[in-house]
């Protein structure tokens, strides 16, 4: 299920594409802090998804494939 990771990376790049022109226009201290926190969060999202894509970490639980095993009852 690597396509979910790729889609999340593409979505992060899409958000960065729209936010990048607005970042240099930050005038007040509050805007600078907001964009700084936003960029740090973006880096965390991209880093986590790259780690999942490169199989450095296991994927989230909902994306892990289930291994079906047959249960037998011993009497």
């Amino acid at each position: 299920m690597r396509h979910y990771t790729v889609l999340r990376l593409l979505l992060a790049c899409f958000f960065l594409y729209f936010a990048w022109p607005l970042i240099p226009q930050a005038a007040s201290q509050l805007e600078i802090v907001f964009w700084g926190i936003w960029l740090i969060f973006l880096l965390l999202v991209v880093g986590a998804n790259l780690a999942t894509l490169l199989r450095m970490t296991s994927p989230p639980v909902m994306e892990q494939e289930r291994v079906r095993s047959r249960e037998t009852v011993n009497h």
Side-chain angles (χ1 to χ4, degrees):
M1 295 247 189
R2 299 175 76 172
H3 57 279
Y4 287 132
T5 305
V6 173
L7 286 175
R8 284 192 297 262
L9 285 169
L10 287 173
L11 184 63
C13 291
F14 177 75
F15 287 151
L16 182 62
Y17 173 77
F18 280 105
W20 194 255
L22 299 175
I23 294 173
Q25 296 176 359
S28 70
Q29 187 69 26
L30 183 62
E31 290 175 328
I32 293 171
V33 169
F34 170 78
W35 285 117
I37 293 171
W38 191 88
L39 286 172
I40 289 170
F41 181 71
L42 180 78
L43 287 175
L44 286 174
V45 168
V46 169
N49 283 301
L50 280 177
T52 303
L53 187 65
L54 298 174
R55 297 180 187 226
M56 296 170 72
T57 61
S58 60
V61 175
M62 63 182 283
E63 294 179 14
Q64 292 178 0
E65 296 182 18
R66 293 186 198 178
V67 176
R68 291 187 168 214
S69 61
R70 188 172 190 179
E71 295 180 13
T72 58
V73 178
N74 295 329
H75 290 284

